[in-house]
Amino acid sequence: MNTPELGLPMVVPAAGLPARVRIHEVGARDGLQNEKATVPTAVKAEFVRRLAGTGLTTVEATSFVHPKWVPQLADAEELYPAVAGLPVELPVLVPNERGLDRALALGARRVAVFASATESFAKANLNRTVDEALAMFEPVVSRAKAADVHVRGYLSMCFGDPWEGAVPVAQVVKVCRALLDMGCDELSLGDTVGVATPGHVTALLTALTGAGVPVSALGVHFHDTYGQALSNTLAALQQGVTTVDASAGGLGGCPYAKSATGNLATEDLVWMLRGLGIDTGVDLGRLVATSVWMAAHLGRPSPSRTVRALSHQES
Amino acid sequence: MNTPELGLPMVVPAAGLPARVRIHEVGARDGLQNEKATVPTAVKAEFVRRLAGTGLTTVEATSFVHPKWVPQLADAEELYPAVAGLPVELPVLVPNERGLDRALALGARRVAVFASATESFAKANLNRTVDEALAMFEPVVSRAKAADVHVRGYLSMCFGDPWEGAVPVAQVVKVCRALLDMGCDELSLGDTVGVATPGHVTALLTALTGAGVPVSALGVHFHDTYGQALSNTLAALQQGVTTVDASAGGLGGCPYAKSATGNLATEDLVWMLRGLGIDTGVDLGRLVATSVWMAAHLGRPSPSRTVRALSHQES
């Protein structure tokens, strides 16, 4: 059928959902660190600037992991000062005290640590047990809090783990409590391999709030590996979650490659939230244009359905 | 991250959802009629056979529309007898009395008519007003019912229309009532341009059940143009819907083309339903293999995230 298309969804709110959602944009960090190509620093800075210009309020900028582990983001010392004046929150990843030192030296006001809900992934990603990793984060968090810096705790493998299979909800709750008790201001519950479904999301969030964790301290981080990210997000919104991680254009994890990790595309999320009448502050057209611009730099189309539909429309 | 992957989601049921969903598989009809390539009859028959072998219970087989309008399915007279003995329901599309005659002559036990909720699409697709189209369907439905044949009514443009914008819920309810009153056994509510979001789905279903339409007579037919099909499906399940249309591999509407209509991929649906503990009877591995086989015939990869993730895993 060859027809013109609507540019925006109709707004029809649903009962029981939040009025506003904060999108935690991870494209410039989680997206680019998973791209094979290393993007020039000037392009990264322009990407962050353009993202900030869409109305997003939180744009994760880079990572102070050792360059040996994430060579794609080895230019953090050059990038961060180039974007630090933007009128948005610019969290950065810090794996340890050395990373925190580097971030604080540049004036970072928001940092994030990266924990695992499972022993297997803690071993694979951090070469530590879960408890050893938490012990490593403790001085990072306490020093950040002493400097009045906001701390996010990423938690990987909250639903399934490639080595361990299904991850018990109680295990996730335990690590969440430990991160909050050491001073993390918010957590991001990651479905690192994309295997969550909505009932699992509801069960985990119910267990966390039942254990006394305020839902305002919880963000969700879904991957679209099996196409489930947006329905999982809907389930999370229905539990009161108001912080959702997403990656502009679905950056991070090529959808054509083995073990695609496919972050939820920010555009697909914004489309749903706008249709639901949930305020995000994001200008969808600008965001799509930014993702089309970055896709040209990377030399491959965005996997986001919304980017494809709206950008083909424009062409 | 290079890790092994889980082959199946964990099962975590959610409250308030149906125990079983009937998937109405439309790949062989709605999928192939929107493909540019015309597939040989023997390949179509094998596709229907393989779909039937996955545990699907309803496989829409073909269309008795005039070959001039849908040349891709001009072989309905050859195809239908080749698959008629399969132990599944095999509905066929009939646009008018001539199409019904052709279908009944071959022993079809389930037919579907194709109506529009909007005047603009009725005019574009059927060259009639909505009322004229309903008048055309009346003898089709009454003759089918007299022959004890099950009748499905497809209703296009239930959410947005490319010419008219948002479609008022009351207008959709009115056409639904007319189709049911003339004898349709079930309706399929189509989001033809993919612009629905979950609140709109809830609003339409609530209005329909409020108008006395039993939810058991309602199916949903979502397109993934903007990535919303599965979250819309979740909203429909939460309203008690137990019939969901989907297309194996996401066939129908190339995701790379302008005006992509992208049917919901059956595999992405089955993944979510399995995770929710909702029975469909479908063997996901067989279904993925069928879509990979058909994708090879069509010469392009399936747009289904689940097909891509699971088939790359196998390769």
Side-chain angles (χ1 to χ4, degrees):
Chain A
M1 191 180 58
N2 188 16
T3 56
E5 283 188 38
L6 292 173
L8 295 171
M10 292 71 68
V11 175
V12 186
L17 298 185
R20 186 175 169 83
V21 159
R22 181 175 69 83
I23 297 176
H24 187 106
E25 169 60 44
V26 300
R29 197 278 301 168
D30 190 17
L32 294 184
Q33 86 173 35
N34 284 297
E35 292 290 330
K36 274 182 191 153
T38 297
V39 175
T41 306
V43 173
K44 286 178 188 162
E46 179 63 17
F47 186 40
V48 172
R49 269 193 290 273
R50 291 186 185 215
L51 290 171
T54 66
L56 285 161
T57 58
T58 310
V59 180
E60 197 163 296
T62 188
S63 170
F64 290 91
V65 173
H66 194 288
K68 181 176 155 191
W69 303 115
V70 184
Q72 296 93 332
L73 303 182
D75 59 354
E77 257 81 12
E78 287 71 55
L79 176 73
Y80 192 82
V83 298
L86 292 169
V88 294
E89 302 290 352
L90 294 162
V92 295
L93 206 65
V94 297
N96 49 31
E97 289 192 84
R98 172 76 189 110
L100 179 68
D101 290 338
R102 293 169 61 201
L104 293 179
L106 294 170
R109 303 304 307 153
R110 288 193 168 225
V111 300
V113 297
F114 200 91
S116 169
T118 67
E119 294 293 346
S120 300
F121 189 64
K123 182 74 185 169
N125 199 40
L126 304 166
N127 198 28
R128 283 169 170 78
T129 67
V130 168
D131 285 344
E132 286 167 356
L134 291 172
M136 175 175 71
F137 296 135
E138 193 147 49
V140 178
V141 176
S142 62
R143 287 184 49 209
K145 292 315 301 170
D148 200 24
V149 164
H150 182 278
V151 182
R152 155 174 268 224
Y154 279 106
L155 194 57
S156 293
M157 305 292 177
C158 290
F159 299 91
D161 174 287
W163 300 276
E164 302 183 16
V167 178
V169 162
Q171 184 175 326
V172 182
V173 171
K174 189 180 146 199
V175 184
C176 283
R177 278 258 52 116
L179 286 165
L180 290 168
D181 289 348
M182 78 174 62
C184 284
D185 297 288
E186 72 174 25
L187 303 178
S188 169
L189 306 169
D191 179 20
T192 315
V193 286
V195 297
T197 44
H200 202 161
V201 174
T202 305
L204 177 57
L205 291 169
T206 304
L208 282 164
T209 53
V213 176
V215 74
S216 60
L218 298 173
V220 288
H221 185 111
F222 293 121
H223 281 191
D224 223 6
T225 319
Y226 300 91
Q228 311 293 312
L230 209 50
S231 46
N232 289 337
T233 300
L234 180 60
L237 298 175
Q238 290 173 339
Q239 294 301 313
V241 167
T242 58
T243 299
V244 181
D245 295 6
S247 176
L251 276 180
C254 173
Y256 308 99
K258 190 174 186 312
S259 296
T261 49
N263 277 304
L264 170 60
T266 313
E267 291 85 353
D268 297 6
L269 171 65
V270 169
W271 183 280
M272 183 175 82
L273 295 176
R274 179 166 298 189
L276 287 164
I278 297 173
D279 182 26
T280 64
V282 175
D283 181 318
L284 184 57
R286 281 193 190 187
L287 184 59
V288 168
T290 298
S291 291
V292 168
W293 172 85
M294 181 48 88
H297 275 284
L298 295 171
R300 62 179 183 85
S302 163
S304 160
R305 308 272 199 220
T306 299
V307 170
R308 290 186 177 203
L310 292 180
S311 62
H312 286 124
Q313 197 174 13
E314 287 159 8
S315 67
Chain B
M1 190 180 62
N2 188 18
T3 57
E5 285 188 37
L6 292 172
L8 294 171
M10 293 69 68
V11 175
V12 186
L17 298 184
R20 186 174 170 82
V21 159
R22 181 175 69 84
I23 297 175
H24 186 108
E25 168 60 45
V26 300
R29 196 278 301 167
D30 189 18
L32 294 184
Q33 86 173 34
N34 285 297
E35 291 290 331
K36 274 180 191 155
T38 297
V39 176
T41 307
V43 173
K44 287 178 187 163
E46 180 64 17
F47 186 40
V48 173
R49 269 193 288 274
R50 290 186 185 215
L51 290 171
T54 66
L56 285 160
T57 57
T58 309
V59 180
E60 198 162 296
T62 187
S63 169
F64 290 92
V65 174
H66 193 288
K68 181 176 154 190
W69 302 115
V70 185
Q72 294 93 330
L73 303 183
D75 59 353
E77 257 82 10
E78 288 69 57
L79 176 74
Y80 192 83
V83 299
L86 292 169
V88 294
E89 301 291 352
L90 294 162
V92 295
L93 207 65
V94 297
N96 50 30
E97 289 193 85
R98 173 75 189 110
L100 179 68
D101 290 338
R102 293 168 62 200
L104 293 179
L106 294 170
R109 302 304 306 152
R110 288 193 169 226
V111 299
V113 297
F114 200 90
S116 169
T118 67
E119 294 293 345
S120 300
F121 189 65
K123 182 75 186 169
N125 199 40
L126 305 166
N127 198 28
R128 284 169 170 78
T129 67
V130 167
D131 285 344
E132 286 167 357
L134 291 172
M136 175 175 74
F137 296 135
E138 193 147 49
V140 178
V141 177
S142 62
R143 287 183 49 210
K145 292 315 302 171
D148 200 24
V149 164
H150 182 278
V151 183
R152 154 176 269 224
Y154 278 105
L155 194 58
S156 292
M157 304 293 175
C158 289
F159 298 91
D161 174 288
W163 300 277
E164 302 182 18
V167 179
V169 162
Q171 183 175 327
V172 182
V173 172
K174 189 180 145 199
V175 184
C176 283
R177 278 258 51 117
L179 287 165
L180 290 168
D181 289 347
M182 79 174 61
C184 284
D185 296 288
E186 72 174 24
L187 302 179
S188 169
L189 306 169
D191 179 19
T192 314
V193 286
V195 296
T197 44
H200 202 162
V201 173
T202 304
L204 177 57
L205 291 169
T206 304
L208 282 164
T209 52
V213 176
V215 73
S216 59
L218 297 174
V220 288
H221 185 111
F222 293 120
H223 281 190
D224 222 6
T225 319
Y226 300 91
Q228 311 294 313
L230 209 51
S231 45
N232 289 336
T233 301
L234 180 60
L237 298 175
Q238 289 173 338
Q239 295 301 314
V241 166
T242 58
T243 299
V244 181
D245 296 5
S247 176
L251 276 181
C254 175
Y256 307 98
K258 191 174 185 310
S259 296
T261 49
N263 278 303
L264 170 61
T266 313
E267 290 86 353
D268 296 8
L269 172 64
V270 169
W271 183 280
M272 182 176 82
L273 295 176
R274 179 167 298 189
L276 287 164
I278 296 174
D279 183 27
T280 64
V282 175
D283 180 317
L284 184 57
R286 280 192 190 187
L287 184 60
V288 168
T290 298
S291 291
V292 168
W293 171 85
M294 180 49 87
H297 276 283
L298 296 171
R300 62 179 183 85
S302 162
S304 160
R305 309 271 199 221
T306 300
V307 169
R308 290 186 177 203
L310 292 179
S311 62
H312 286 123
Q313 198 176 14
E314 287 158 8
S315 67

